[in-house]
Amino acid sequence: MNVLQKNIALGELRAARSMLPEPVGLVPTMGFLHEGHLSLVKRACEQSASVVVSIFVNPTQFAPTDDLDAYPRDLERDVTLLQEAGANLLWLPTPDVMYPPDFQTWVDVEKITQPLEGEKRPGHFRGVTTVVAKLFNAVQPQKAFFGQKDAQQVAVIRQMVRDLNMPVEIVTLPIIRERDGLAMSSRNTYLNPEERRAALVLSKSLAAAESAYESGERDAQIIRKIMEEIINAEPLARLEYVSCANFETLEELEMLDKKALLSMAVYIGKTRLIDNRVLG
Ligand code: AMP
């Protein structure tokens, strides 16, 4: 695997990329890799002749009060894991490469960024879409691979690709979970043992909602209530939102008569976790 580190100019990335056999698959990440990331890399290896992985903790998608500086990093381990998974090129741009001092162009997807994560994290998706657009332009992949773990993110990126005619196919892959159900996340490392146990309320509440749905419940308010009650019963959990929304538009549903996205953000202690499940 070729590793392009530190302040390499875009020209060097382009040169390395141009040597790769086509088609090229891209897996954008923020590093501190786990099985969720590696499932994307492995699928990218199956579906493309070459795989480029980026690791970039993108400052513009973090709010000033967020965990940017504390975000976990372990580059040596990431390199080993990516080598084993079969990636061909690892690009590690720095903030200076991505955002030079005169940077002034942003990608802003409007409606679908408004609810859920967009409402709770103002400016977050503007940072995400801008950096992903830059990664697409720099790497020019035929396919890009994203996890359903960040359900709204992938919906927003699909919208951007459609709206701006970007010549890239978006592939979405399922959430990889720990054996007990907790969705894998780099942020799980922040949890102490007690919080790690409490964090199971996210997947448990989704499972309870799905089981009610499978028993015939179609009232979205009741489905939201089932999730809320389970989360509120856990003393270490603080619910930020639960949602039962139209899978396509992310607008809240009254009745579950179409494909739906159940999603939530919950603080466990100081750690903000998200999880989701698709129904129908
Ligand atoms: P991140 O490093 O958190 O920005 O994630 C990079 C990519 O990995 C995104 O497309 C995420 O949706 C995806 N991802 C993160 N966690 C998981 C998981 N548990 N299962 C599947 N994909 C994941």
Side-chain angles (χ1 to χ4, degrees):
M1 182 174 69
N2 188 359
V3 182
L4 297 180
Q5 217 168 341
K6 297 275 158 52
N7 275 309
I8 68 146
L10 203 54
E12 289 170 67
L13 169 77
R14 287 250 161 82
R17 189 264 177 246
S18 71
M19 310 290 282
L20 295 173
E22 310 276 349
V24 169
L26 171 67
V27 182
T29 81
M30 299 203 299
F32 207 71
L33 305 178
H34 51 64
E35 286 300 323
H37 299 110
L38 297 176
S39 73
L40 305 181
V41 177
K42 285 173 192 160
R43 183 63 65 86
C45 289
E46 289 162 15
Q47 294 196 3
S48 351
S50 318
V51 173
V52 179
V53 177
S54 59
I55 295 181
F56 180 57
V57 184
N58 175 33
T60 65
Q61 71 190 64
F62 287 77
T65 49
D66 280 351
D67 56 349
L68 173 65
D69 292 334
Y71 198 82
R73 292 165 170 88
D74 188 346
L75 182 56
E76 215 173 300
R77 182 168 169 277
D78 288 351
V79 168
T80 307
L81 290 172
L82 289 173
Q83 224 136 19
E84 285 167 8
N88 302 95
L89 178 62
L90 170 60
W91 184 30
L92 301 151
T94 58
D96 311 353
V97 168
M98 277 299 186
Y99 302 108
D102 62 340
F103 184 85
Q104 50 188 297
T105 304
W106 298 90
V107 178
D108 215 342
V109 176
E110 292 181 351
K111 205 162 143 203
I112 203 168
T113 62
Q114 295 307 306
L116 308 176
E117 291 296 292
E119 189 184 331
K120 299 298 177 191
R121 303 183 68 188
H124 169 69
F125 284 120
R126 180 183 189 246
V128 169
T129 45
T130 300
V131 85
V132 170
K134 286 175 66 74
L135 292 169
F136 286 177
N137 282 333
V139 176
Q140 305 199 350
Q142 278 85 355
K143 290 189 182 187
F145 297 79
F146 293 89
Q148 180 62 21
K149 164 82 193 322
D150 298 278
Q152 188 176 14
Q153 169 171 283
V154 83
V156 168
I157 288 167
R158 284 181 183 281
Q159 187 72 44
M160 170 184 81
V161 163
R162 272 199 304 278
D163 288 349
L164 297 182
N165 306 330
M166 293 179 169
V168 55
E169 180 189 335
I170 303 302
V171 181
T172 310
L173 293 173
I175 302 177
I176 305 293
R177 297 177 179 280
E178 303 286 356
R179 289 165 78 108
D180 60 6
L182 179 67
M184 288 193 183
S185 163
S186 308
R187 290 186 169 96
N188 292 348
T189 184
Y190 299 143
L191 302 170
N192 67 31
E194 218 183 322
E195 291 169 341
R196 171 66 183 76
R197 180 201 47 75
L200 289 178
V201 286
L202 285 90
S203 55
K204 276 193 189 142
S205 66
L206 289 166
E210 179 168 43
S211 132
Y213 176 81
E214 276 166 4
S215 310
E217 183 58 67
R218 291 294 181 272
D219 184 328
Q221 196 48 36
I222 292 179
I223 295 280
R224 284 187 284 266
K225 194 127 196 16
I226 290 171
M227 296 190 285
E228 268 170 32
E229 279 176 2
I230 292 175
I231 292 159
N232 289 335
E234 168 52 61
L236 295 183
R238 184 165 58 80
L239 178 64
E240 194 171 47
Y241 68 81
V242 292
S243 160
C244 174
N246 180 312
F247 180 80
E248 302 293 333
T249 63
L250 303 186
E251 285 162 355
E252 290 303 314
L253 290 172
E254 279 181 30
M255 294 302 293
L256 279 120
D257 48 7
K258 40 183 98 62
K259 194 170 173 184
L261 178 72
L262 303 182
S263 66
M264 58 183 57
V266 179
Y267 277 93
I268 304 290
K270 289 197 167 115
T271 306
R272 185 178 187 275
L273 300 177
I274 57 171
D275 200 352
N276 71 83
R277 199 175 272 237
V278 179
L279 297 183

